Amino acid sequence: MLDEGKVQAVGLSEVSVEQIVAARKVVPISTVQNLYNVTNRQSEAVLEYCAGEGIGFIPWFPVAAGSLARSGGPLDALANKNGITVGQLSLAWLLRRSPVLLPIPGTSKVAHVEENCAAAAVTLDDETFDALDALRD
């Protein structure tokens, strides 16, 4: 398909660094989509590799969940302190975390799309960013 010009590059999903390296021997890789958010960083090494190689990283399930995001939890407290929602806080952290990150949160409601898009206008101060960076679920 490469030789026929039908494919220029491919995207991979739920892969390790080793799998990306192996795939790149066969075809250019444009993006990687793995589970990643402020409370689940199991793909940290993959994100770092992608950043170093200029490969786009699309985190699926980009809005934080779990015990850290519960009402009254650390994410809720930081979101309230900044006057934003937990979702906006989570997305703003991702957007600042790496220039290769492209979060695409899913939703079925226009209001939720608008809320998520507003995260792009949120500027996290260093203290908030560092507090989020230090969290692990």
Side-chain angles (χ1 to χ4, degrees), residues 14-35:
E14 280 307 307
V15 291
S16 66
V17 170
E18 295 77 19
Q19 290 169 321
I20 300 168
V21 170
R24 290 180 80 193
K25 292 177 182 175
V26 178
V27 63
I29 304 302
S30 59
T31 59
V32 170
Q33 182 180 17
N34 279 18
L35 173 62

Side-chain angles (χ1 to χ4, degrees), residues 18-91:
E18 295 77 19
Q19 290 169 321
I20 300 168
V21 170
R24 290 180 80 193
K25 292 177 182 175
V26 178
V27 63
I29 304 302
S30 59
T31 59
V32 170
Q33 182 180 17
N34 279 18
L35 173 62
Y36 187 81
N37 61 53
V38 71
T39 64
N40 186 327
R41 304 196 203 154
Q42 68 188 31
S43 293
E44 192 77 38
V46 174
L47 171 58
E48 292 300 325
Y49 177 81
C50 288
E53 296 296 314
I55 297 171
F57 186 94
I58 304 168
W60 65 265
F61 200 52
V63 177
S67 63
L68 294 175
R70 75 186 182 289
S71 181
L75 290 176
D76 188 46
L78 284 168
N80 287 331
K81 178 182 173 188
N82 285 278
I84 57 178
T85 68
V86 169
Q88 289 170 328
L89 180 69
S90 300
L91 293 169

Side-chain angles (χ1 to χ4, degrees), residues 1-11 26-31:
M1 293 180 85
L2 281 171
D3 293 340
E4 294 173 10
K6 294 179 180 178
V7 174
Q8 291 181 344
V10 300
V26 178
V27 63
I29 304 302
S30 59
T31 59

